[in-house]
Structure formats: C-alpha cells, structure tokens
Amino acid sequence: MVLSLLKSMVTSSRSAATAEAEHSQKGQGAPRVFDFHGGIHPPEHKALSNRAPLVAAPLPREVVLPLSQHIGAPAQPLVEIGQRVKTGELIARAQGMISAPVHASITGVVTAIEPRQIPHVSGLEDLCIVIEREGEIDEWARLEAWRDWRQQEAQDLIQRLQDAGVVGQGGAGFPSAVKARVRERHAIDTLILNAAECEPYITADDLTMRTHPEALIEGLEILASLIGPECILIGIEDNKPEAVIALEQAIRARRADKRLPPLDSRLEVVVVPTKYPSGGEKQLIKLLTDREVPSRGLPADVGVVVHNPGTVRAVQRAVCFGEPMISRVVTLTGEALQHPHNVEARLGTSIADLLRLAAPAPTGIARLVMGGPMMGFTLESDALPIIKTTNCLLASSPESLPAPAVEQPCIRCGMCEQACPAELLPQQLYWFSKAREFDKAELYNLADCIECGACSYVCPSQIPLVQYYRFAKGEIRSAQHEARKSERARHRFEFKQARMAREEAEKEAKRQQRAQAAQKSAAARADASAAADTTSASASTAAAAAQPAPATDIKAFKTARAAANIALKKAEKALKAAQDGGESSESDIAKLEANVTAAKAKLASAESALKAASEASESAAPAAAGASTASSSTTGTAAPAADLKALKTARAAANIAVKKTEKALKTAQDSGEGDISALETSVAEAKARLAKAEADLKAASEASESAAPAAASTSATGAAAPAADLKALKTARAAANIAVKKAEKALKTAQDSGEGDIPALEASVTEAKTRLAKAEGDLKAATDAAGAAQGADKGPVASAAAGSAQTTDTGAAGSTVNAAAPAAAAPSADIKALKTARAAANIAVKKAEKALARASESGEGDIEDLQTLLATAQENLRAAEVRLNSAQAGSTEAPPAAKAAGELIPEAPKPAAGSVGRGSMASNVTLSQAEIEASRAENLAKRHKQVSIAVKAAEAAHRKAEAALSEADDENRQRLATKVDRTRRNLEHARESLAEVQALVDAQ
Ligand code: SF4
Ligand code: SF4
C-alpha cells in the first residue's frame, strides 16, 4: 500500500465531540450526528481530481468482461465466439441465488471466451468474454424503459435490477436485487446513501452526486419503494460542499414538483465530519443512527440498508431507461497523472486506455493502485479491464511513493487499538496471526476487521498489520473450506454405509425366504415319502418325490454362508483398523462393533439354514433310494428308466458340486482370502455325496441289468413285442445315442481345455457306448421277434384280435394271453396309487417349469441344473402315465376274478358299453396304447415348447448381460464379465437341450 506516502504527511486528529459541536451549530433543524470509535485523518488529496468535470470516456476498441464482477456465483456465458452483440445485450446469465448477469458494454463481435487476468488482489485469471468494437457503431439493446416506474409491481422492479446486472459499486459487488429483498426477512426503517467517500484521492461519488443529483434522488425513491423505510439519509462528509448543495437543490426541486406524488419517507442530507473511515458501512450507520451492527452481523440486523451513489444511479438508469449496468464512474488520479479527473467508462475498458486519458507524466507511474491508498491493492499491470467495483485508479509518481519502511518490533504502544474503528485489538490480532494461532484470532473477532488500514497507518513500528490480517483470514477460509469438504465426504461415506447396510439387509431377507421355502419343500418331500411306503405302486412316486433337496438350493445356502463369512471378516477388519488407527470417534467404533455383531448373527443364520437343508437332503435321499429298490423288487422288473436317469442326474450334480467346491478352495488358497477350512469341509462333503450318488446309481443299474433278462425271456416266450414297445426301444436307442454324443463332447472339451476329470469322462463315454450297444441289441431283438410273429401267427391272436368270445383253441394263443394278463392287470387300489403318483409327478413338472422360467428371466441360477430337473420331472410324469395307462388297460382286459385265480383260460370280457360287437376287446387294447402314445407326444411337444422358451430367455439374458458389460465402468467390469460367461454357458446348454428334444421329436 501507499500508507508510507500518507504517513509522511502530518495529520490532525479531530475529536468526535468537536465535530458534533460543529454540526450542531449549523442550525436547530440539522439532524444529530454521532461518532464512532477510532479513525484517522490522512491527507485527502481529493482536489487532484474533483476540479475537473465528469466526462464520458471514448468507446474502447475492445472490452474484456470477466464473468465474476460481483460477489457470488460467476455468470454463465450465453454467446459464442464470432457472435455479434449490441451494447446492453445479455452475454452471460446469472446462476444461483447470489449472482449477477453480464451485458455487452460495446457493440461488436465476441472474439474470445477465455481465462484472462482480472483486477483482483490475488492476481489470478478468470473466464472473460472479449468483444471487439464494430467501427464507431454504438447500437443499444435496452430493456423496456419505465419512466413511470411507480406503476410497476415491486417484484417487477426487483427483477429489473437483477436483469440489468446492478451490483454494489462501493464494496464487493453485492447484487442489488438480493439487497432489495431484505424486507422479506428484516424490518427496515432507514435507507442510507453512503456518500461519505472517506478514502483519500477518490472523488468518483463526489462527481456523480454533483453531476447527477436528480438521478440519485429518483434512484433512492425507487429503492425506498422496495424496502419501505421511514427515512432516507444521505450521509456525506463535509469536504464535499458542492455535492451537498447539488443534492439539497435536487431534493427541493423534487418536493416542489407537484406532478409527482409527495415523498413517502423523510429524505435528508446529513453532513458528517471528515474522518477516515466514516465511509465504512458500520461506521456510517453509527454516525447517522447511533446503532451498532453486531459482530459478524449485517446492517439489516439493525433495520438499515446502505447503498452507494454509483449503485443508486445504476438503479435509476436500469428502471427508468432500461439500461443494464455497462459503465461506471472511475477516478483517474495520482501525482503521476498530468490530467487527473473522473470519467464514465464502459466496463471492460483497459486501464492503460483510461490512464492515457489522464496523460501520464513522462517520468512514468511508480505504482498503480486500484482503489484508494488505504484499502486498494497494487496492480502489476495496466493491461487489465475495469469492472463493476473499480472506483479509482491511483497512479503514484516515484517521488510521492517512498519505499516501504523496514518493519520493526511491536513496542506495545497501543496506538493501533485507539485508531481501530471496529474496536478490535489489532496488536493481539497481529500476534495471533504471526504465530498462526488462527483460532485465537477468530476469538478476537478478526472477522470484524474491515481492513481499513487505520492501525497500520498509525503504527510507529511500520508493521504492515493489514497484511497479517489478510493472511490469517485466507488461512481461516482455507481451513473452513477443507472442513466443509471433509464434512461432505463424511456425509457421503455415511450415506454409502447406510445404503450398503440396507442392501445387505434386503439380501439377507431374501436368503431367509429361500431357506424357509427350501425347508418347507424338504418337509413336504419327507411327508410324501412316508405316505408312499404303504403301497408298492406308490414307491416309484416316493422315489421321485423324495429326492434330495435340489443342488441349486444347497448351492444357494453355501453361497449365502460364504458371503456372510466374508462380510464378517470385512466388518472385523474395519473395526480393527479403526481401533488401531486411533482417529475414529467413539460413535464410529460403536457403529463398527454393531456391524460385526450383525455380521456374526447373519453368519449363524446362514449356517443353520445350510445345515437344515443338508439334513433334509440327506434324509430324503435314502427314502428315494429305498423307494426305488422297493419298486424294482416288488414288480420284479428293472428299475424304471426315469429312476436311473434321476440317479444319474444326482451323480452328475454331485460331481459338479465337487468340482465347484474344489475350484473355490483353490481360489481361496491362491488368494489367501476366504474361509479355507470351511471350503475344505465343503469339498469333503461334496465328495461324500458324490460317492453315495455313484453307489446308488451302481446299485440301481445292477438291479436293472439283472431284471432285464427276465423281461427278455418273457418277450421271447411270448408274442412279438407290440408296436408301442418297439417305439419305446427306438426312443431309448436315440436317447442312448445322444448320451454318447454328449459324453464324447464333454470329453473333448475337457481334453482341449486341460480341465476336468478326463479319466472319469472317458469312463462315461465307454459307459454310454455300452448302453447304446445294449439299446441297439434290444431294439434288434424286438424287431426280429415282431417280424417272426407276424409271419407265423394268424389264428389265435387273430381270433383274439377279432374278438372271438368262445375260441376252441387253447394252445399257443391261450398261453400268450395268459402270460400277459397277470402282469398287466392291476387292482383298483393300485390304480388309485398310480393316479396319485401321476398327479404328484405332474405337480413336480409344473414346479420345475416355473423355476426354470424364473431363472431364465432373471439370468440368475443354474439353468442347466433346472433344465435337468425339468427333464427328470417330465420323464417321471411320462413313466407315471405309462404305468397308469397300462394298469388301467390291464384292468379292463382281464376280469378281477381271473387275475386273482390265475386261470390260464380267461373268460372273454363283456363288450364295453358303446362298443360294436366283434372286435371290441382288441379295440380297447389298441385305444389304450394310442392314449399312451398321445400322452408321450403331448409331453414331448410340451417339453419342446418349454425348451424353446428357455432358449429365447437365455438369449435375451445373454444379450442383456453383454449390453451391461459394454457400458460398465471399471468397478463392475469383472463382475459383469463373469455374468456374461454364465449366461453364455446357460445359452449353450439350453440350445443343446433343444437339440436333444428335437431329436426325440424326430424319432417319434
Ligand atoms: S501500533 Fe504498532 S507498535 Fe503500537 S501496539 Fe500496535 S502494532 Fe504494536
Ligand atoms: S485494519 Fe482492522 S484492525 Fe486495523 S484498524 Fe482497521 S478494522 Fe481495525
């Protein structure tokens, strides 16, 4: 600053009492003037610039308009480079509650929107709009002029101030529209025009008042209409007599103008003694009203609103003439200028251009200051624009600005305290700032320091006290900013924690629901198994119903247990880190401990659910195996194909489970994460289940093979195999063929990838080929037998087929019929049990269909397992229907008495109602087989449809997963890539299933 310049001059101190006495002598009607604490009387130097008239500066060749010429949020550009704009046109709109728009100050073309250095104490750059003038044109884009503004609504007037970009010209550039709304929150009784202009050298307000007093009076009336004060006070220092006279004349003229309504408020000019800083807002309020604005408070808190003359004139121009704020009065002064004066300059004009108007001295400018010598700041360059808050450019000559004196130690003289108008303790603030004890500086109301420089001015030790205060304020602002940022980060963290906890709770609830459903399902299966023990016919139903809990359920429980275990470990780790770090608060630690407790509870719950499901599964398995064995032994035939298939499916599922658990164990061992002991236990359990499944399958296969010769002998001794049996054998051959292909494919995949149990797969291929060979042999034998029978037999069978009731030949034909009758006929109790089995199998199919549809839609779950489950259920249903139909047919063919006695020559059955005489029995038998075939065809068609739907759903799920992966961020990429792999595998399996079903359809 140039305080050293001022301090070189002798100042005189005038007591407040003296000043008050002087003013009281002016007459009884003069308003009373009070005093404020401290203050100084530096040399004024106003005569340098207040003798020349106020003139308009020439239009600049180029203007640079910063988007932040006010306090609050910067404006948002609305123009583009190359766009032509008119004077007064909006080029940047306000954004946010406290902000102001920017308007073009000349007519021209936008040549740049870029960061430029702005006139600020920081010396930093800010975004600016650069406009180059277009010739000599000054084409205006005004708002609507409201000469009769009294007809306008208050809201419209306030909006006009906002639209015109009017901001305070005497301070930090506070938007006037916001100030005009102060009435909404405060009761205002006094409007003050701050015309004190106490800072040395500056005369911009003085010249404004002398040149445009009527505009100021009208501007005050507009503002008064918005805030409704009881009185309007124009506070002006006694060193501006011309301005006082001009204002008083304007007031008298206004009062004499009968065309206008009388003034609502008391309007007075109050002359105050010259003392720096009487132009400070709080100090002027104290001078005029004797009210003290509280620490960190605002003038509105004591019912006062203060405006600057430049601002009031801008209000009047905006309302009455529709002129946005595009210019202002600037004092060009200082000993380095030969023609100091005041100019009305367009905003954005270069300082260098303006200084040239005042004719810089040939010796040059030693220091260029924006503002006055007390509160202004030094500019490093004159290549800067003037903005809405630029009131003075002070150019000092080398002679008038001696080098700053060397700072000396504080001598604790206390002069700074006596000079401080804010009644602070500058010496203490200095110590705290220097020692970086900012909290203590805050405690001593550093925020109330108006940086007037009075303390520095009087300090005999030449200490630049204001510099220390500015430094301390900057540090405090930074700390507060960091604290706010930290607080926001904390809120974000807490919000994230809450969200994660909520999601975890939702997942846990779903897990619990699944666990309960699985327990219910297991209990239902166990009940069905117990009920099925009463009859041999229902044994196969029990075998189907009492299957172990599906592998998908067990898998889900294990996954839930593993997830709960990981969550617990994470929670424990977070708690330990917080406890070790020592930076977390007690409440944070308590929260983390609560998280650990909750995670432990979840783990316990998941483990109990898994245990229950595993037990249910294990208890159901023997029942199924027992039922299967019972069925085989009772009927004396091989285990049904459906049972064998179910056991194979169980073995395959167990094998997959072993592989998965082994893989999970290996991953955990490699990464060092996860509960390795729990995974080892899982592997052991899975292997045990696999061994058991293999043993069950082996036992069932052996039973089937031992029963097969008997069936074959029956076939050999009897007549030719019926057409339906031949078809069944063909289907079995086709299925065996598919199984061979599938096994070969699996073996090839394993060999190519080097993964999987290759010996086991080779054994599977060999096994499948053996089954295929057997199926082909059976089919060949049956075909040969059928051919032989067709050639040799025309009598007895033909007679039976013709429906002869009284055949006389009891030879071969009779034995054929008798051999078939005991096996085919069934008691009514058996038929009832078979019907129940068919209904149960039908329900199982529906459930499996639903589960597959759900999994296909969601893309979650093991589609392959579910498809296998559905196929098994459908096979069971078909088998149940075949058994039922056979039993019903046998019941119809042989009368109960004959079956019970085991007679060789049965009585001919009575014709069924509605049948037509001869051939009715043969017709009945043929119809029953047709029903069976129709049922098979219907089921196959259903399966084909279901698998087709599953393929479409799998395709959709895969597409969806791929789309999600393509848009995924880094955080989710890995997870989504895994999902894409899974959906692709599901799709492949679904397509394979469809191919298999299609082969069966073709074979049919
Ligand atoms: S005026 Fe200067 S020397 Fe005196 S007490 Fe204040 S800081 Fe110290
Ligand atoms: S700069 Fe601050 S501390 Fe110094 S006199 Fe002014 S208000 Fe008081």
Side-chain angles (χ1 to χ4, degrees):
M1 291 313 125
V2 291
L3 292 174
S4 54
L5 161 71
L6 299 172
K7 283 195 280 185
S8 65
M9 304 172 188
V10 179
T11 62
S12 61
S13 179
R14 301 166 58 185
S15 73
T18 309
E20 193 175 338
E22 284 176 4
H23 280 271
S24 66
Q25 290 167 7
K26 287 190 175 183
Q28 282 192 329
R32 191 174 173 210
V33 177
F34 303 90
D35 192 19
F36 61 87
H37 178 270
I40 56 174
H41 295 87
E44 296 173 0
H45 297 286
K46 291 185 184 279
L48 274 176
S49 58
N50 68 2
R51 291 178 185 162
L54 173 63
V55 295
L59 288 177
R61 180 185 52 80
E62 179 189 81
V63 292
V64 178
L65 295 162
L67 298 178
S68 189
Q69 303 182 44
H70 51 269
I71 202 165
Q76 179 85 28
L78 293 175
V79 291
E80 295 174 349
I81 294 173
Q83 184 175 334
R84 183 180 185 274
V85 292
K86 295 178 183 176
T87 306
E89 187 174 329
L90 182 69
I91 58 172
R93 67 160 172 261
Q95 50 176 355
M97 282 285 290
I98 298 180
S99 183
V102 177
H103 300 80
S105 56
I106 57 172
T107 302
V109 176
V110 176
T111 57
I113 303 173
E114 61 190 16
R116 294 270 183 108
Q117 193 182 353
I118 58 169
H120 190 267
V121 68
S122 66
L124 295 176
E125 292 185 340
D126 203 358
L127 195 61
C128 300
I129 296 176
V130 183
I131 303 171
E132 193 172 319
R133 200 180 77 208
E134 188 180 72
E136 295 302 317
I137 301 172
D138 189 27
E139 191 178 350
W140 274 76
R142 288 187 173 87
L143 302 167
E144 184 186 353
W146 291 339
R147 285 303 300 149
D148 194 4
W149 53 266
R150 292 177 182 80
Q151 305 303 318
Q152 300 296 325
E153 295 290 331
Q155 279 307 316
D156 294 338
L157 292 172
I158 291 172
Q159 188 59 46
R160 170 57 60 87
L161 302 188
Q162 176 66 21
D163 293 344
V166 180
V167 304
Q169 293 189 9
F174 194 81
S176 300
V178 180
K179 219 177 203 181
R181 289 196 190 96
V182 69
R183 191 182 189 179
E184 295 167 7
R185 293 180 300 280
H186 296 86
I188 304 297
D189 61 10
T190 306
L191 171 63
I192 292 178
L193 179 67
N194 185 350
E197 199 168 48
C198 57
E199 180 125 0
Y201 285 98
I202 305 175
T203 57
D205 289 348
D206 186 8
L207 267 292
T208 300
M209 289 184 285
R210 284 154 58 181
T211 313
H212 304 289
E214 297 84 5
L216 289 178
I217 301 303
E218 190 167 23
L220 283 171
E221 279 192 81
I222 292 168
L223 290 169
S225 74
L226 298 176
I227 60 177
E230 293 171 9
C231 65
I232 306 169
L233 303 176
I234 301 175
I236 185 168
E237 281 187 336
D238 55 10
N239 58 359
K240 304 176 190 63
E242 293 95 335
V244 173
I245 292 168
L247 288 169
E248 286 180 338
Q249 283 178 347
I251 292 170
R252 279 197 295 276
R254 165 67 185 85
R255 287 194 170 123
D257 191 345
K258 301 302 176 193
R259 294 171 299 172
L260 298 175
L263 289 170
D264 292 334
S265 312
R266 184 166 59 93
L267 175 57
E268 293 178 69
V269 176
V270 184
V271 180
V272 299
T274 299
K275 182 170 81 165
Y276 180 84
S278 57
E281 208 169 48
K282 293 181 181 179
Q283 287 67 42
L284 189 61
I285 291 170
K286 180 74 171 67
L287 275 174
L288 299 182
T289 67
D290 200 26
R291 298 175 191 172
E292 288 192 11
V293 179
S295 174
R296 298 170 195 246
L298 295 171
D301 295 335
V302 292
V304 179
V305 168
V306 182
H307 282 284
N308 167 275
T311 313
V312 174
R313 181 169 169 249
V315 167
Q316 191 260 350
R317 301 295 300 174
V319 172
C320 300
F321 302 103
E323 285 183 11
M325 191 168 177
I326 58 152
S327 65
R328 68 153 298 144
V329 175
V330 181
T331 301
L332 308 174
T333 188
E335 286 76 10
L337 298 178
Q338 299 179 62
H339 178 45
H341 64 295
N342 283 273
V343 293
E344 173 133 19
R346 296 288 171 95
L347 299 177
T349 304
S350 157
I351 289 173
D353 288 349
L354 289 180
L355 290 176
R356 271 194 288 278
L357 297 175
T363 49
I365 299 171
R367 180 177 292 183
L368 180 61
V369 175
M370 180 172 276
M374 302 299 291
M375 298 180 73
F377 56 92
T378 302
L379 296 174
E380 298 302 328
S381 164
D382 60 1
L384 298 169
I386 63 160
I387 59 174
K388 292 179 180 180
T389 53
T390 305
N391 58 353
C392 177
L393 295 171
L394 173 58
S396 300
S397 65
E399 296 77 27
S400 64
L401 189 64
V406 178
E407 180 182 332
Q408 300 295 323
C410 171
I411 58 173
R412 301 175 191 273
C413 65
M415 288 178 68
C416 51
E417 189 275 330
Q418 290 173 24
C420 179
E423 300 185 58
L424 301 175
L425 297 173
Q427 177 198 354
Q428 298 299 327
L429 293 175
Y430 159 64
W431 290 116
F432 295 144
S433 302
K434 193 172 182 181
R436 302 180 69 89
E437 294 177 324
F438 303 125
D439 50 342
K440 288 184 183 170
E442 277 193 288
L443 213 61
Y444 277 66
N445 296 320
L446 177 64
D448 287 343
C449 169
I450 60 171
E451 300 176 21
C452 67
C455 51
S456 303
Y457 181 78
V458 299
C459 177
S461 295
Q462 318 286 348
I463 301 172
L465 296 167
V466 181
Q467 308 296 341
Y468 283 100
Y469 307 151
R470 283 178 180 162
F471 162 73
K473 283 182 177 178
E475 291 295 301
I476 290 168
R477 268 197 300 273
S478 297
Q480 287 171 343
H481 179 65
E482 287 302 315
R484 278 196 298 274
K485 262 172 62 180
S486 162
E487 184 70 4
R488 279 198 294 271
R490 192 173 68 81
H491 281 154
R492 276 201 303 274
F493 173 74
E494 287 178 354
F495 180 78
K496 186 180 171 189
Q497 290 289 94
R499 178 175 56 78
M500 287 169 67
R502 190 181 65 244
E503 288 174 355
E504 189 58 34
E506 287 170 359
K507 278 185 196 165
E508 181 58 27
K510 284 181 185 167
R511 280 189 209 116
Q512 296 287 352
Q513 282 175 356
R514 283 201 296 271
Q516 286 171 0
Q519 282 173 341
K520 279 182 190 168
S521 171
R525 280 196 293 273
D527 290 347
S529 173
D533 286 344
T534 54
T535 61
S536 60
S538 61
S540 60
T541 306
Q547 286 174 8
T552 46
D553 287 352
I554 301 287
K555 189 177 164 188
F557 290 132
K558 283 184 181 166
T559 308
R561 196 256 315 262
N565 200 26
I566 290 167
L568 172 61
K569 286 200 165 27
K570 276 186 182 171
E572 285 175 340
K573 199 172 170 188
L575 175 60
K576 190 168 182 308
Q579 287 170 333
D580 293 347
E583 292 178 357
S584 302
S585 64
E586 283 184 9
S587 63
D588 288 342
I589 300 270
K591 274 182 201 162
L592 291 170
E593 285 173 347
N595 286 347
V596 170
T597 308
K600 279 182 181 169
K602 280 178 194 164
L603 177 59
S605 168
E607 281 179 341
S608 65
L610 174 60
K611 193 166 172 237
S614 299
E615 285 171 0
S617 171
E618 282 164 11
S619 64
S628 175
T629 308
S631 173
S632 300
S633 62
T634 307
T635 57
T637 59
D643 290 349
L644 278 178
K645 192 162 184 179
L647 290 169
K648 283 175 188 170
T649 306
R651 196 262 313 264
N655 199 28
I656 291 168
V658 168
K659 286 191 172 47
K660 283 188 177 172
T661 49
E662 283 176 343
K663 195 173 174 185
L665 175 60
K666 190 170 182 305
T667 306
Q669 285 170 337
D670 291 346
S671 64
E673 288 182 356
D675 189 343
I676 291 179
S677 61
L679 289 169
E680 283 172 347
T681 308
S682 297
V683 170
E685 286 172 358
K687 281 184 175 171
R689 279 196 295 277
L690 175 59
K692 188 172 178 306
E694 282 177 341
D696 290 347
L697 176 60
K698 196 171 171 219
S701 298
E702 285 170 1
S704 173
E705 281 163 13
S706 64
S713 65
T714 305
S715 175
T717 56
D725 289 349
L726 279 178
K727 200 155 193 177
L729 289 169
K730 280 180 187 170
T731 306
R733 196 258 316 263
N737 198 27
I738 290 168
V740 168
K741 287 198 170 66
K742 206 170 173 182
E744 285 175 341
K745 192 177 174 186
L747 175 60
K748 190 171 182 304
T749 307
Q751 285 170 336
D752 292 346
S753 65
E755 289 182 357
D757 188 349
I758 291 178
L761 290 170
E762 284 172 348
S764 296
V765 170
T766 308
E767 215 174 288
K769 281 182 177 172
T770 307
R771 281 197 297 275
L772 176 59
K774 186 173 177 304
E776 282 176 341
D778 290 349
L779 177 60
K780 188 166 182 296
T783 308
D784 291 347
Q790 278 175 358
D793 189 4
K794 291 185 182 176
V797 176
S799 299
S804 173
Q806 299 295 327
T807 179
T808 55
D809 189 349
T810 59
S815 65
T816 303
V817 172
N818 291 336
S828 61
D830 290 352
I831 289 177
K832 196 172 177 184
L834 289 172
K835 279 184 180 172
T836 307
R838 198 238 339 237
N842 199 29
I843 290 168
V845 167
K846 286 195 166 43
K847 278 186 178 174
E849 284 172 350
K850 272 188 188 171
L852 178 60
R854 269 201 305 273
S856 300
E857 278 172 21
S858 65
E860 292 178 356
D862 193 330
I863 301 279
E864 188 187 8
D865 283 354
L866 291 171
Q867 284 174 339
T868 307
L869 197 68
L870 177 59
T872 305
Q874 285 172 334
E875 276 299 324
N876 290 341
L877 177 59
R878 274 197 293 277
E881 284 176 340
V882 168
R883 283 193 291 274
L884 175 61
N885 289 335
S886 299
Q888 284 174 330
S891 172
T892 309
E893 285 165 17
K899 282 184 279 184
E903 292 174 4
L904 295 177
I905 305 173
E907 288 181 17
K910 290 177 184 174
S915 65
V916 280
R918 294 167 68 86
S920 60
M921 179 181 170
S923 298
N924 281 343
V925 172
T926 307
L927 185 61
S928 176
Q929 292 296 341
E931 282 175 350
I932 293 169
E933 288 307 310
S935 170
R936 279 182 178 158
E938 189 187 344
N939 284 333
L940 203 53
K942 265 192 201 171
R943 170 139 176 79
H944 188 274
K945 191 176 170 188
Q946 287 156 356
V947 178
S948 299
I949 291 169
V951 167
K952 284 182 184 157
E955 284 172 347
H958 185 53
R959 278 199 301 274
K960 197 172 162 189
E962 282 185 325
L965 176 61
S966 68
E967 294 172 1
D969 53 20
D970 290 343
E971 193 182 340
N972 292 313
R973 182 162 293 282
Q974 183 61 40
R975 181 177 60 80
L976 290 171
T978 309
K979 188 171 182 180
V980 167
D981 278 348
R982 193 176 67 237
T983 54
R984 189 179 53 247
R985 280 200 304 276
N986 289 343
L987 179 57
E988 285 169 4
H989 291 317
R991 283 176 176 160
E992 280 173 12
S993 298
L994 183 60
E996 287 171 17
V997 176
Q998 189 63 51
L1000 291 173
V1001 170
D1002 293 344
Q1004 195 177 45

